Amino acid sequence: MDSNKDRTTHYQEGSLTLSGTVMLGTGVMIGAGIFALTGQMAQMAAGLFPLAFLAAAIVVSFSAYSYIKISNAYPSAGGIGMYLHKAYGNSLATAFNALLMYFSMVIAQSFLARTFGSYTMQLFGGDDSGRMVSILGVSLILAAFFINLLGNRWIQGVASFIGVLKIVGILAIGLVGVWLADSVAVDFSTSTESGVVGNFLGATALGILAFKGFTTITNSGSEVKNPHKNVGRAIVISIACCVLLYTLVGFAVSSNLSLAEIIETQDYSLAAAARPALGDYGVWFTVAIAMMATAGGILASIFAVSRMLAMLTEMNLVPHSHFGMPGSIQKHTLVYTVVLGLILTAFFDLSRIAALGIVFYLVMDISIHWGVIRYLYSDIKATRWVPAAAIAFDLAVLGGFVWVKINSDPFVIVVAVAIMVIIAVAEQIFLSFSPKSAVAKHNEPGDHKHDSHH
C-alpha cells in the first residue's frame, strides 16, 4: 500500500455552517464547565466563585485574540497543531505544545464523561462507590465514538440538536433558580487557607476550562464555510453565549445552596441547587440537561481531537502505527483518542482530571501567544500587546492554581510535570530519528514565511 496515500485525512470543505460551528464550540464549552466545575471553583474561591467565572471570561477574551487572528489567516483542520507549526516549524516546540493540547482535550473528554455519570446517578440516589459513574462515562464515550464514525453530517446534526436543547435548558435553570431564590447573593466575606488572591486565581484557572472549548472551533477550520471570517465569528459568539449562561447559573447556584452544600455536592451541584427551588422535578430536569450537555460535549470533542492528532501525524511530528487497522489516519486517531479517554474515565476522579487539563492547556496557550509575538504578528496583522497581556493573565492564573494545588494535592502537580517531561523527551528522541523532521530542521521557526500553502 502506498504510504503517502495511507497517511491522508479526508476533510469535506464547506461542510460546516457558521451555526453548526458555534454549536460544536458551545457543545464542548458548556459540557464540562458549568456542570462539574461550579462546585470545584466554590471549594477554591469560596463565595467569590461566580466572579471567578467572569474573571475566566476576561482571560479567555484576551486569549481568543491570537486564535482568531491566526485562524482568519490560516484556517485549517489541524487547528492548534497547524498554528504552532506556523510559528515554530517542524520543531520540538510544535510537537510538545500540540501534544499538551491533545492531552488536555482528551482529559476534558474524560471530565465530561465522569460528569455525565455523576449527574445520571442522581436519578438513582447517587453512587457512593463511584463504580457506576465510571461505567456510565465509558459507555458514553463509546456511543460518541460510533456517531463519529458516521461522518460530519451526523455529528453536526446531533451536536446542533443537543446544543439547542441544552442552551435553552441551562438558561431555564439559571433564570428559574435566580427567580425563585430568596435573594441573589454572593458571599464576599469567606476566605480560605492559602489566601484569597491565590485561591481566586486558582478558581479562575478552573473557570478557563469551562471556556477553553472555543479552541476546538479552530480544528474545524478547513471544513467551515467562508472560514477566513466564520471561524473567528464562531469563537466570539461561543464565548459570549457562555459568559451569559455561566454568570446566570453561578448566581442561581450560590443563591440556592450554602457554600458548604455547593462543596459537598461539587460533582453535581447544579442538580443539588435545583432541589430547594424546584423539588425532584427540578433535579430530574437538570440531570436530563446535564446528560445531554455532556453527551454533546464528548461528541464534539472527539470530533476535534482526532482531527488534530491526524494533522500532527501527517506533519510527521508524532509516531504512528496502524496496529493492523484499516481506513484513514483520521479513523485511527479517533480510536487512539477514545481508548485514552476510556482509561482516564475509568481510573481518575473529577478534580484530578481537571487539574491536569488546566496545567497542560495554559502552558500550550502561553506558547501560542509567544509564537504570535515572536514570529507571526506581521503575517497575521496582529498587535503584540494583546497576546502579551494574555501571557501575563495565563501566568497569573497558572501560578495561583499551582500554588493552591501544592498546598492541597501536590501529587497532581508532580504528575503534570512528569507527563510534560516524558512528552518532551519522547518527542525529542522521535524527531531526532525521523528523517522528514531532520530535513525540516533547516526550516527554522518562522516556518510561516515559507509555508503559506496550508
Side-chain angles (χ1 to χ4, degrees), residues 169-183:
I170 292 170
L171 201 55
I173 292 165
L175 288 170
V176 171
V178 169
W179 178 259
L180 293 178
D182 298 331
S183 62

Side-chain angles (χ1 to χ4, degrees), residues 16 61 68 76 113 131 154 161 182 225 245 261 274 307 315 336 352 368 400:
L16 288 172
S61 301
I68 291 168
S76 149
R131 199 168 298 122
W154 271 89
F161 176 69
D182 298 331
K225 289 176 180 165
L245 284 173
E261 288 170 326
R307 273 159 171 61
M315 290 180 194
Y336 305 155
R352 287 186 156 173
I368 288 272

Side-chain angles (χ1 to χ4, degrees), residues 401-443:
F401 185 75
V402 170
W403 173 249
V404 172
K405 282 294 172 189
I406 282 172
N407 284 303
S408 63
D409 187 9
F411 176 70
V412 167
I413 301 301
V414 172
V415 169
V417 171
I419 291 172
M420 287 194 282
V421 169
I422 291 166
I423 291 172
V425 171
E427 269 300 327
Q428 184 59 56
I429 294 167
F430 172 71
L431 292 174
S432 60
F433 285 104
S434 165
K436 292 196 178 173
S437 298
V439 169
K441 288 206 171 84
H442 301 299
N443 200 2

Side-chain angles (χ1 to χ4, degrees), residues 22 26 29-30 167 211 235-247:
V22 169
T26 53
M29 290 161 85
I30 293 171
I167 288 170
F211 288 100
I235 289 171
V236 173
I237 295 167
S238 298
I239 292 172
C241 286
C242 289
V243 171
L244 182 74
L245 284 173
Y246 292 171
T247 308

